[in-house]
Amino acid sequence: QVLTFEHTYQNSTTSTSYVDVESANSTTWEPTITPTATSSKILILSSIPVRCHRTSGADSRNHLKLFTKIGSASYAELDYYYEIGNYAYDSNGMIISTNYNPTILHSPNTTDAVKYKIQIKVTDSSSYISTNWGGNNNANSHTNRFTLLEVLG
């Protein structure tokens, strides 16, 4: 099975604690697949546009984590994109746009539903990190894409 999840909801934060990426207001984005065999692996292909911005100051290095959850278990960290952004030695601020594009072969060893979610945070509350800048659900929005492919074992 191949499942693709997309949304264009804008997520931005100045929080120094991790916050969930949402697909709508107060709705955590959780791409989900239910493997047909315990031996199946899940190939994760994603494209998450990320922008780090700071109008003044030097540090705009921010963080993104990918988590997985099997059935009713708690979320566990699967991947960590550390220090997205830049450090400007002239302290005049910056904007950097990039993509989080991991290719991960996940072995959940289950036939229960497997959920994924992304969390973001800033290093310094004077900066912000966002996905899908340009507006919510309009022609100027970027698109978060998450494709899950079951690879039978």
Side-chain angles (χ1 to χ4, degrees):
Q1 62 180 313
V2 177
L3 301 173
T4 298
F5 302 84
E6 297 181 340
H7 79 83
T8 56
Y9 184 76
Q10 183 173 335
N11 290 267
S12 291
T13 188
T14 57
S15 174
T16 56
S17 299
Y18 282 99
V19 297
D20 293 340
V21 167
E22 298 179 338
S23 56
N25 189 31
S26 300
T27 304
T28 299
W29 189 43
E30 296 177 295
T32 304
I33 189 169
T34 303
T36 58
T38 303
S39 58
S40 292
K41 297 185 183 327
I42 307 301
L43 181 61
I44 302 166
L45 305 170
S46 75
S47 177
I48 310 298
V50 179
R51 176 176 277 183
C52 300
H53 182 229
R54 185 174 179 137
T55 56
S56 64
D59 199 355
S60 186
R61 295 172 295 178
N62 302 310
H63 307 272
L64 179 151
K65 287 186 176 183
L66 172 63
F67 292 87
T68 185
K69 174 181 176 178
I70 297 170
S72 60
S74 298
Y75 272 98
E77 186 178 318
L78 187 62
D79 193 35
Y80 184 19
Y81 191 3
Y82 180 69
E83 292 191 345
I84 308 163
N86 205 342
Y87 188 90
Y89 289 97
D90 62 9
S91 297
N92 288 328
M94 73 216 71
I95 296 176
I96 186 167
S97 300
T98 188
N99 274 294
Y100 172 64
N101 297 5
T103 301
I104 298 170
L105 188 60
H106 182 213
S107 301
N109 299 314
T110 189
T111 55
D112 290 339
V114 180
K115 293 183 178 186
Y116 300 92
K117 75 173 180 177
I118 293 171
Q119 291 187 333
I120 54 177
K121 78 169 191 166
V122 297
T123 301
D124 179 309
S125 61
S126 297
S127 64
Y128 74 82
I129 182 172
S130 60
T131 64
N132 303 350
W133 59 94
N136 284 328
N137 306 315
N138 65 42
N140 296 320
S141 299
H142 292 76
T143 301
N144 280 345
R145 286 188 182 87
F146 214 88
T147 300
L148 304 172
L149 297 89
E150 180 179 9
V151 180
L152 294 175

